[in-house]
Amino acid sequence: MEQAYLSRHLIALIQGKFDSVNLEYVKSHMDGASGIRYVEIQMDDDGRAEEISDKEKRGFQRQLYQYCIEFLGPHASHCVFDVSTHEKIYDIGLLYCDAFAKEQGIDGKTYLNRFLEYLIANMHQPVIMLVGKKVQDISNIARSYGNACMLRSFQGFRAKKPIYYYEEEVQVTSGGIVLCKSSLDRLLKAVEQNNHVEIRSAIEQFYGEMISREMTGETMNLNINYLLFQLIHLASEQDDGVNQEEILRLISESSFEKGVMRGSKAHLTRFACEYGDYLSQLRKNVSRGVLGEIEREIRENYAKNITLKSLSEKYYVNSAYLGQLFRKKNGQSFKDYLNNYRMERAADLLLHTDKKIVEIAEEVGYHDLDYFVNRFILVKGCTPAKFRREA
């Protein structure tokens, strides 16, 4: 109870919505509250977001939190479960202090690398850390949290790695920011109008200008960052009720394919075209009737290998936008809806037929019996055999 109460005060500080009561409670219950960074820790779905259900993600999140607590030991109070409470982000928050590394006679990067290695070794899955900028007092931790949120949005435009530091990913050169504003504004207008020909031309101009100015990687990143912030703004003008950063990340990841380097001209072109499609459909709300078709497809073809991406292509709707609308209408992701529908059909077959469990698994779309049994336990709370026996 005490840890939960402390976490509530910490989240108030992290999100920048606090008063003197929150601040004094945290300072009196935490050690080494200076030289602090906010670190977001989460599982890396590695492009498998559609394959992993929300329930499974929540389970991974709880495991990850327990391993964080184990590693931190006496500093476990600096770890907060589920900071992004109202978003579909399964995160662990860490208020890292310089004192942690000093106690072990190492520097901060070594400490966080060891922490990351410990989590990966125990979870047996990839883990990502997003490290915000250092602040001197815990009352300013919201700034560092904002840095981590920015890094989360930009992951798709950075080389893939397990740990991102704000200072390394977003830098201002000694000569200040060199912004190709005219090229970027032309590109933004083309994306807003969903003009793919103009998008390609504007990106050619943008990259040509960066090359002619002999920009460094850091300055190029700043230009990309400006573009992404403006795109988030364009989407939020149309619909402020969705997590725009998540949509940006989803579209960025779907635009990335093997053979295309993250952040390259080809990647940016695909991303900009797909984002233009997304904005266009968001503006027109073109998929009202399509949602009914998608639900019909699930009812008729649930046993087949259907995915949101394949259905979005069939009905000419941007997959990120379709996934957003599907979740808004049904309160769950497409993948969870499909899995739950399959489990209901499996339950009917268990009750009303004498078919073997392996046959039922095949009939509802699962070719791996163990996976089917595990999914059934997650949804129904018991094995298929026990469900049939008790019913």
Side-chain angles (χ1 to χ4, degrees), residues 202-236:
I203 288 175
E204 286 289 345
Q205 179 186 336
F206 170 51
Y207 271 82
E209 186 175 348
M210 288 198 294
I211 291 169
S212 67
R213 293 190 181 191
E214 298 181 347
M215 290 185 177
T216 63
E218 291 81 3
T219 310
M220 291 175 77
N221 281 341
L222 285 165
N223 279 265
I224 295 293
N225 296 349
Y226 169 82
L227 173 66
L228 298 182
F229 274 123
Q230 295 300 320
L231 289 173
I232 290 174
H233 176 67
L234 285 175
S236 63

Side-chain angles (χ1 to χ4, degrees), residues 231-245 247 275 278-279 281-285 287-288 320-321 323-329:
L231 289 173
I232 290 174
H233 176 67
L234 285 175
S236 63
E237 284 184 324
Q238 301 299 323
D239 184 355
D240 60 0
V242 296
N243 183 347
Q244 298 298 337
E245 290 183 1
I247 294 298
Y275 204 89
Y278 165 70
L279 287 176
Q281 292 169 4
L282 185 65
R283 195 177 301 116
K284 298 174 185 175
N285 197 10
S287 58
R288 285 177 179 170
Y321 177 53
Q324 166 189 319
L325 285 180
F326 195 92
R327 186 186 288 278
K328 187 180 287 188
K329 180 184 177 184

Side-chain angles (χ1 to χ4, degrees), residues 166-167 169-178 216 218-219 222:
Y166 178 80
E167 292 92 338
E169 303 301 324
V170 182
Q171 296 185 23
V172 180
T173 63
S174 57
I177 299 175
V178 180
T216 63
E218 291 81 3
T219 310
L222 285 165

Side-chain angles (χ1 to χ4, degrees), residues 343 346 350 355-378 382-385 388:
M343 289 303 115
L350 286 165
K355 291 181 179 179
K356 295 178 180 178
I357 291 173
V358 66
E359 293 175 317
I360 291 173
E362 288 277 349
E363 196 166 321
V364 298
Y366 295 97
H367 305 296
D368 183 325
L369 180 59
D370 289 339
Y371 183 71
F372 166 73
V373 171
N374 288 332
R375 291 290 323 168
F376 195 92
I377 292 170
L378 276 173
C382 64
T383 65
R388 171 179 270 172

Side-chain angles (χ1 to χ4, degrees), residues 14 20 52 78 87 121 126 154 168 179 181 217 260 333 339-340 359 362:
I14 290 167
S20 59
I52 306 172
H78 286 244
E87 303 175 39
F154 298 164
E168 295 176 2
L179 193 64
K181 193 170 186 305
V260 177
S333 68
N339 277 323
N340 290 335
E359 293 175 317
E362 288 277 349

Side-chain angles (χ1 to χ4, degrees), residues 189-355:
K189 187 175 181 180
V191 171
E192 188 173 15
Q193 295 175 351
N194 197 24
N195 185 332
H196 289 199
V197 173
E198 179 66 9
I199 285 172
R200 291 185 176 88
S201 175
I203 288 175
E204 286 289 345
Q205 179 186 336
F206 170 51
Y207 271 82
E209 186 175 348
M210 288 198 294
I211 291 169
S212 67
R213 293 190 181 191
E214 298 181 347
M215 290 185 177
T216 63
E218 291 81 3
T219 310
M220 291 175 77
N221 281 341
L222 285 165
N223 279 265
I224 295 293
N225 296 349
Y226 169 82
L227 173 66
L228 298 182
F229 274 123
Q230 295 300 320
L231 289 173
I232 290 174
H233 176 67
L234 285 175
S236 63
E237 284 184 324
Q238 301 299 323
D239 184 355
D240 60 0
V242 296
N243 183 347
Q244 298 298 337
E245 290 183 1
E246 182 183 19
I247 294 298
L248 188 147
R249 182 182 61 81
L250 287 172
I251 294 176
S252 171
E253 291 295 336
S254 68
S255 305
F256 168 71
E257 297 177 1
K258 289 182 179 178
V260 177
M261 188 174 68
R262 291 172 186 271
S264 66
K265 183 161 62 176
H267 179 209
L268 183 59
T269 302
R270 289 181 181 177
F271 166 81
C273 288
E274 191 163 347
Y275 204 89
D277 291 339
Y278 165 70
L279 287 176
S280 174
Q281 292 169 4
L282 185 65
R283 195 177 301 116
K284 298 174 185 175
N285 197 10
V286 296
S287 58
R288 285 177 179 170
V290 173
L291 282 176
E293 290 297 314
I294 299 298
E295 290 169 1
R296 181 187 59 78
E297 288 271 5
I298 291 175
R299 291 193 299 272
E300 295 178 1
N301 302 303
Y302 64 89
K304 298 177 182 177
N305 184 28
I306 56 175
T307 65
L308 187 67
K309 188 166 182 63
S310 65
L311 291 174
S312 70
E313 291 170 354
K314 180 176 180 179
Y315 291 100
Y316 304 100
V317 180
N318 177 275
S319 59
Y321 177 53
L322 183 58
Q324 166 189 319
L325 285 180
F326 195 92
R327 186 186 288 278
K328 187 180 287 188
K329 180 184 177 184
N330 296 290
Q332 57 187 322
S333 68
F334 169 83
K335 188 68 176 178
D336 281 348
Y337 185 95
L338 174 60
N339 277 323
N340 290 335
Y341 190 86
R342 285 171 168 172
M343 289 303 115
E344 292 305 319
R345 300 287 70 75
D348 285 343
L349 291 170
L350 286 165
L351 291 177
H352 301 118
T353 73
D354 294 326
K355 291 181 179 179

